[in-house]
Amino acid sequence: QVQLVESGGGSVQAGGSLRLSCVVSGRLYSTFCLGWFRQAAGKEREAVANIDSEGWTSYADSVKGRFTVSHDKSANTLYLQMDSLKPEDTGMYYCGALPGYSGSWWCQRSHNYDIGAQGTQVTVSS
């Protein structure tokens, strides 16, 4: 069982930056996928960025070049640096974990992830 607690959201103007954090605790194992997901009002949850235990990363096309995902193993914390924010980035952001798996085939299957319960709200105004 893995526990995930997100923080760092807020309200910013378009073009601004935010850094989201997710503390990961529990049985993550040495091989894992981690990811950030977001859900806008009235829309389905979508994957934003993924990273695995080997350092492989992937990004949604809409955030490539603007967002950076990273993982500090010593601090058990997942980060999402969000730059050049746009109003369409508004939504509730959740982190997720998939212990025991790695690589693109597994990490890009978001329905397999354990997702944080609380999320953190990001609001970008124009």
Side-chain angles (χ1 to χ4, degrees):
Q1 195 75 13
V2 176
Q3 292 78 45
L4 306 132
V5 180
E6 305 93 340
S7 63
S11 296
V12 297
Q13 289 191 328
S17 298
L18 284 173
R19 188 193 196 201
L20 306 185
S21 299
C22 171
V23 177
V24 184
S25 59
R27 302 191 67 178
L28 189 58
Y29 304 115
S30 59
T31 299
F32 53 81
C33 302
L34 295 171
W36 286 99
F37 305 85
R38 69 184 178 192
Q39 187 165 19
K43 295 186 178 180
E44 292 187 356
R45 188 173 63 208
E46 62 174 344
V48 175
N50 300 94
I51 187 169
D52 77 357
S53 48
E54 304 303 312
W56 167 89
T57 59
S58 73
Y59 297 89
D61 288 342
S62 59
V63 307
K64 282 181 181 177
R66 300 188 297 120
F67 290 12
T68 303
V69 62
S70 61
H71 179 235
D72 184 337
K73 293 182 180 180
S74 63
N76 296 321
T77 302
L78 177 70
Y79 299 99
L80 184 68
Q81 178 65 42
M82 305 188 296
D83 298 318
S84 302
L85 282 161
K86 302 177 180 180
E88 51 263 43
D89 294 319
T90 294
M92 187 68 79
Y93 283 69
Y94 301 88
C95 60
L98 181 59
Y101 297 92
S102 64
S104 60
W105 198 92
W106 285 107
C107 294
Q108 290 181 320
R109 278 155 176 77
S110 57
H111 60 276
N112 291 325
Y113 282 68
D114 294 326
I115 302 295
Q118 66 178 41
T120 186
Q121 177 68 36
V122 172
T123 303
V124 184
S125 58
S126 58

